[in-house]
Amino acid sequence: SVTVITYGTFDMFHIGHLNLLRRLSEMGDRVVVGVSTDEFNLGKGKKTLIPYEQRAQIVESIKYVDLVIPEESWEQKLSDIKKHDVDIFAIGADWKGKFDFLSDLCEVQYLERTKNISTSDLKSSLKRF
Ligand code: C2G
């Protein structure tokens, strides 16, 4: 079996997130998602609107996803890939090149982002309501 892993905040879950997760499910038969904890996001300079517990529950409920784990550090990808016997690491192309160091352990793929949607755009359009 082929295991695919990705990581993300998945704040205000939207079609861009769904398209990515669906594509992962087409690449393998087991999808593991590391959802960024609120603390880890502060380190990314990202303030999340929806708390980790809710973001994790939503991602866990997506039919394309088999397992959700907390993302608490940049380093954990290496051990996660070994622990979960991961064949492919994939993430949106906004991260292109950033995770090439994982290619010693598994295939690394950067996937095209969905156009015209982002959590930051959603947040700013909500402000204008
Ligand atoms: N995404 C996408 N299209 C969009 C928006 C997001 O394909 N319009 C993808 C991103 O490329 C990412 C995933 O959806 O692969 C989750 O997006 P974010 O929650 O913004 O992830 P990010 O905060 O960038 O966290 O260690 C990696 C980081 O945790 C990634």
Side-chain angles (χ1 to χ4, degrees):
S1 71
V2 174
T3 298
V4 187
I5 199 166
T6 194
Y7 297 80
T9 308
F10 298 100
D11 197 13
M12 294 174 72
F13 196 85
H14 56 63
I15 192 66
H17 301 139
L18 188 65
N19 287 339
L20 182 100
L21 295 176
R22 187 189 57 254
R23 289 177 65 191
L24 299 186
S25 72
E26 291 159 0
M27 291 161 67
D29 37 38
R30 194 164 76 108
V31 175
V32 179
V33 182
V35 175
S36 316
T37 61
D38 298 339
E39 298 74 21
F40 180 63
N41 265 315
L42 287 178
K44 284 193 232 169
K46 267 189 158 185
K47 196 178 161 343
T48 42
L49 208 63
I50 309 296
Y52 168 76
E53 257 317 305
Q54 294 178 33
R55 290 184 285 110
Q57 260 184 61
I58 290 167
V59 173
E60 232 160 31
S61 309
I62 303 291
K63 69 179 180 181
Y64 307 124
V65 176
D66 298 288
L67 173 68
V68 166
I69 58 176
E71 180 187 30
E72 298 162 298
S73 76
W74 293 108
E75 295 72 36
Q76 73 178 82
K77 292 183 176 69
L78 296 159
S79 51
D80 287 348
I81 286 166
K82 290 181 197 128
K83 184 170 153 193
H84 296 284
D85 199 16
V86 169
D87 302 284
I88 306 169
F89 167 89
I91 197 164
D94 42 318
W95 291 91
K96 191 159 184 51
K98 298 287 188 308
F99 300 113
D100 292 354
F101 67 94
L102 296 174
S103 54
D104 304 342
L105 296 176
C106 65
E107 198 183 319
V108 174
Q109 293 212 18
Y110 300 101
L111 306 174
E112 195 182 337
R113 283 174 63 93
T114 301
K115 307 261 179 299
N116 306 321
I117 187 138
S118 73
T119 303
S120 40
D121 289 351
L122 290 172
K123 282 180 182 174
S124 48
S125 49
L126 279 173
K127 283 185 197 117
R128 287 196 298 273
F129 251 55

